[in-house]
């Protein structure tokens, strides 16, 4: 595990970042939450579809914590049309947790969404990510539905949050 004393936040998407974001999900969600290859395949497909649709240049944004060798953190915003944005691919390696970086990057993402005129943000997560859920709720996101899901490994409670911006 690398240690990052002063994280470098990159707000540009580079060639190879799809693979790096998928790898970060692999390094965090497989050992910590027992997620499987189907989970990683879903992450990869959703990233590839977003990039094929012009993301992030065509709307939204990306915030990546990059130590020069590999990614250690990720937050993204995609434009879903009709004033709706989706918060996606939020993941931080253990070396970054507890430093307020997640709060800072989610705050920047929300500022960007407001400045870009989004009217509503949505995100999906699962209940075992307690710290993430607490963070989202602290920014005003509200849980709108939840359901069991077992296709990504052991059963989880999949959750959908929304935040009206206007």
């Amino acid at each position: 595990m690398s240690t990052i004393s002063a994280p470098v936040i990159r707000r540009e998407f580079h060639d190879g970042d799809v693979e790096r974001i998928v790898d970060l999900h692999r390094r965090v969600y497989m050992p910590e939450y027992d997620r499987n290859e189907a989970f990683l395949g879903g992450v990869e497909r959703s990233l590839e579809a977003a990039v094929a649709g012009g993301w992030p240049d065509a709307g939204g944004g990306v915030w990546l914590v990059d130590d020069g060798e590999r990614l250690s953190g990720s937050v993204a915003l995609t434009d879903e049309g009709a004033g709706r944005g989706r918060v996606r691919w939020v993941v931080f390696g253990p070396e970054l947790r507890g430093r307020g970086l997640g709060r800072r990057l989610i705050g920047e993402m929300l500022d960007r969404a407001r400045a870009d005129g989004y009217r509503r943000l949505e995100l999906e997560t699962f209940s075992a990510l307690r710290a993430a859920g607490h963070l989202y709720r602290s920014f005003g996101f509200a849980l709108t539905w939840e359901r069991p899901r077992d296709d990504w490994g052991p059963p989880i409670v999949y959750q959908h949050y929304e935040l009206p911006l206007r």
Side-chain angles (χ1 to χ4, degrees):
M1 171 182 3
S2 65
T3 57
I4 300 175
S5 57
V8 174
I9 312 303
R10 182 161 51 86
R11 293 165 184 86
E12 306 85 32
F13 196 78
H14 297 164
D15 287 342
D17 279 343
V18 166
E19 293 81 11
R20 286 189 275 278
I21 293 170
V22 171
D23 180 61
L24 177 58
H25 280 73
R26 174 179 287 107
R27 292 190 329 261
V28 171
Y29 288 107
M30 289 183 98
E32 293 183 26
Y33 298 99
D34 205 17
R35 298 302 89 198
N36 61 23
E37 290 296 327
F39 170 78
L40 293 174
V43 170
E44 186 170 24
R45 283 188 303 279
S46 65
L47 275 158
E48 288 172 347
V51 170
W55 174 83
D57 297 330
V62 65
W63 294 260
L64 300 171
V65 183
D66 194 341
D67 71 3
E69 294 179 26
R70 63 183 191 176
L71 295 181
S72 296
S74 171
V75 173
L77 172 66
T78 59
D79 186 339
E80 302 298 310
R84 211 170 34 95
R86 182 168 293 229
V87 180
R88 306 180 87 164
W89 311 302
V90 177
V91 58
F92 291 91
E95 67 275 15
L96 294 179
R97 296 180 200 148
R99 302 166 132 201
L101 193 56
R103 176 167 296 285
R104 175 180 154 201
L105 296 185
I106 294 291
E108 283 187 29
M109 181 273 309
L110 288 170
D111 290 345
R112 170 78 172 272
R114 287 183 178 102
D116 288 352
Y118 289 95
R119 292 188 304 275
R120 174 189 311 280
L121 293 183
E122 301 175 350
L123 66 86
E124 292 175 355
T125 187
F126 54 97
S127 63
L129 300 172
R130 288 181 204 51
H134 177 74
L135 178 63
Y136 301 140
R137 288 187 302 275
S138 77
F139 279 108
F141 281 88
L143 179 63
T144 58
W145 59 256
E146 55 186 9
R147 64 180 164 87
R149 185 169 187 162
D150 64 3
D151 57 326
W152 289 344
I156 58 172
V157 177
Y158 194 60
Q159 300 176 315
H160 181 88
Y161 283 82
E162 294 186 9
L163 173 67
L165 294 178
R166 293 183 188 227

